[in-house]
């Protein structure tokens, strides 16, 4: 049996999501004291509150200035883990996660801005499909993504 989805309708929605997520104007600059990742939690409570308990697809950006931010990584996370996942990428992580903390720390050491854009996904289970589509489409720009890239 074959089950077909309306690809045109899905791709229209995905394109709408892509335009928002990959618009650097929608990237929220994160605050770090003296480019120190350990200050993330104290200085970004508003951001963590915004994503708390929400299933999101997110993009991490870096650059020397707001006007030249570049998308580096796209990921997704279920609502109950959203705050912790952002901390794993941006402040501290457990050894077993595939989080991007090392890349974040390198960007901060280079005195770069670190920013995040995100979309809340409804229904929540569409976040993985959207993430896969975006990574496949933009793999050349997403230098931190390893999984999901087309060869």
């Amino acid at each position: 049996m074959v089950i077909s989805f309306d690809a045109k309708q899905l791709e229209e929605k995905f394109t709408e999501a892509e335009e928002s997520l990959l618009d650097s104007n929608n990237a929220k600059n994160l605050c770090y004291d003296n480019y120190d990742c350990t200050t993330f939690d104290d200085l970004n409570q508003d951001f963590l509150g915004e994503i708390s308990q929400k299933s999101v697809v997110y993009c991490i950006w870096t650059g020397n200035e707001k006007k030249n931010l570049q998308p580096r990584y796209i990921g997704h996370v279920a609502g109950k883990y959203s705050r912790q996942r952002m901390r794993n990428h941006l402040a501290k992580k457990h050894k077993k996660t595939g989080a991007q903390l090392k890349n974040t720390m390198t960007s901060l050491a280079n005195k770069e801005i670190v920013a995040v854009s995100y979309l809340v996904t409804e229904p929540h289970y569409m976040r993985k499909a959207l993430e896969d589509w975006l990574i496949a489409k933009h793999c050349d720009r997403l230098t931190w993504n390893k999984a999901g890239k087309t060869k």
Side-chain angles (χ1 to χ4, degrees):
M1 172 162 69
V2 173
I3 301 201
S4 295
F5 293 91
D6 186 337
K8 184 177 187 248
Q9 184 181 19
L10 282 173
E11 289 191 11
E12 284 174 3
K13 271 296 177 200
F14 282 9
T15 299
E16 182 182 332
E18 171 188 32
E19 288 170 357
S20 179
L21 189 69
L22 293 178
D23 181 344
S24 63
N25 293 314
N26 294 330
K28 180 184 200 81
N29 285 8
L30 300 174
C31 299
Y32 292 94
D33 187 23
N34 203 28
Y35 299 95
D36 179 359
C37 69
T38 64
T39 64
F40 173 82
D41 273 358
D42 290 340
L43 300 175
N44 294 282
Q45 285 300 308
D46 289 347
F47 167 68
L48 291 170
E50 287 174 23
I51 62 163
S52 181
Q53 299 297 310
K54 294 179 179 137
S55 292
V56 297
V57 174
Y58 56 88
C59 181
I60 300 174
W61 302 73
T62 65
N64 294 325
E65 299 177 77
K66 176 78 173 171
K67 68 182 179 186
N68 70 5
L69 288 175
Q70 295 298 311
R72 302 294 183 198
Y73 182 82
I74 289 179
H76 76 94
V77 65
K80 93 184 209 187
Y81 304 108
S82 56
R83 288 172 64 98
Q84 189 56 46
R85 187 66 178 151
M86 288 299 110
R87 283 186 182 108
N88 290 160
H89 288 310
L90 304 167
K92 57 188 170 199
K93 79 179 191 92
H94 188 279
K95 291 179 198 170
K96 293 184 179 180
T97 74
Q100 299 301 311
L101 182 58
K102 188 174 184 178
N103 287 323
T104 298
M105 291 172 69
T106 299
S107 292
L108 291 171
N110 291 330
K111 307 226 180 303
E112 292 182 333
I113 295 168
V114 177
V116 174
S117 58
Y118 68 91
L119 302 168
V120 177
T121 54
E122 294 179 6
H124 69 89
Y125 53 79
M126 289 304 293
R127 71 185 189 281
K128 179 63 175 148
L130 177 57
E131 177 204 42
D132 289 346
W133 186 82
L134 288 166
I135 291 170
K137 190 169 180 188
H138 296 281
C139 61
D140 57 324
R141 300 170 61 190
L142 301 169
T143 56
W144 296 1
N145 280 94
K146 303 270 188 279
K149 287 193 171 191
T150 54
K151 303 277 186 236

